[in-house]
Amino acid sequence: MSRKPRLKGRAARLARLFPARPRQAARTPFVLLVVLLLGGGLIGLLVLNSALSEGSFEMDDLQKDTKSLTDEEQALQRDIDSYSAPDALQRRARELGMVPGGDPAFLDPNGTVKGVPSAAAPRSPAAVRPPEALATLPAFPSAGTAAAGASQAAASPTAATTVSEPAATAPGVSPTAATPTTPGR
């Protein structure tokens, strides 16, 4: 039988200030705080993950757009290169009725002429086309147009001689040396 002794006087007053049985802190607020912190952390991670995946999808779309635009740029550059090739420019100039120029002459600042100019090769009247015929030609000939031009040149002897006439060359220079060629084309 263990009975606690009754306290008197000063001890009794102090005993009233300190309860005999230690009280436990309420668990409910602590549990709610932990649940709120964990829930907030999970929601924050969900929002962060969603933002990262949205950025990833947007980056994929931009990379696809970049690739398609790069491919288009390369195709356009190939077209430009094919249209500006020397043989394509020469063929287009002949279709427009142009002929190679003669030897140039140069003027010095004091007014003297250096070199002996020569006239351009004469062109045949059959090769001259009216402006209406030039308007119907494509801007840049395709392979089919070149083949049609070759068959037309074979049918017309005057057109064939105009196309195959060598340019006027300087004395002592062979006609094949005056015509520039590009290897591999």
Side-chain angles (χ1 to χ4, degrees):
M1 287 202 248
S2 69
R3 206 173 210 212
K4 289 190 180 180
R6 276 181 71 95
L7 301 173
K8 295 182 184 174
R10 185 175 177 164
R13 285 191 312 254
L14 287 175
R16 275 188 258 147
L17 293 175
F18 297 109
R21 189 178 112 207
R23 285 183 113 204
Q24 291 182 348
R27 291 185 176 207
T28 307
F30 177 71
V31 169
L32 284 176
L33 177 68
V34 169
V35 168
L36 286 175
L37 286 175
L38 288 176
L42 288 175
I43 289 173
L45 284 174
L46 179 66
V47 168
L48 181 65
N49 190 17
S50 298
L52 288 175
S53 63
E54 180 183 345
S56 174
F57 287 129
E58 186 176 336
M59 188 174 71
D60 273 351
D61 290 342
L62 291 174
Q63 284 176 343
K64 288 177 186 176
D65 290 346
T66 301
K67 184 180 182 316
S68 67
L69 290 174
T70 302
D71 291 345
E72 183 180 349
E73 178 191 15
Q74 289 174 352
L76 291 173
Q77 188 62 44
R78 280 193 306 270
D79 290 346
I80 289 171
D81 291 343
S82 69
Y83 293 146
S84 62
D87 57 336
L89 291 175
Q90 182 182 19
R91 182 176 56 248
R92 180 75 176 131
R94 284 190 180 159
E95 286 176 359
L96 292 173
M98 298 175 138
V99 294
D103 292 332
F106 300 97
L107 292 176
D108 280 337
N110 62 5
T112 60
V113 178
K114 284 194 173 188
V116 178
S118 64
R123 58 182 177 185
S124 165
V128 176
R129 295 183 180 153
E132 301 84 33
L134 292 178
T136 60
L137 289 176
F140 293 101
S142 62
T145 309
S151 65
Q152 180 185 9
S156 169
T158 57
T161 57
T162 309
V163 171
S164 63
E165 279 183 19
T169 58
V173 177
S174 70
T176 55
T179 306
T181 59
T182 305
R185 292 191 187 223

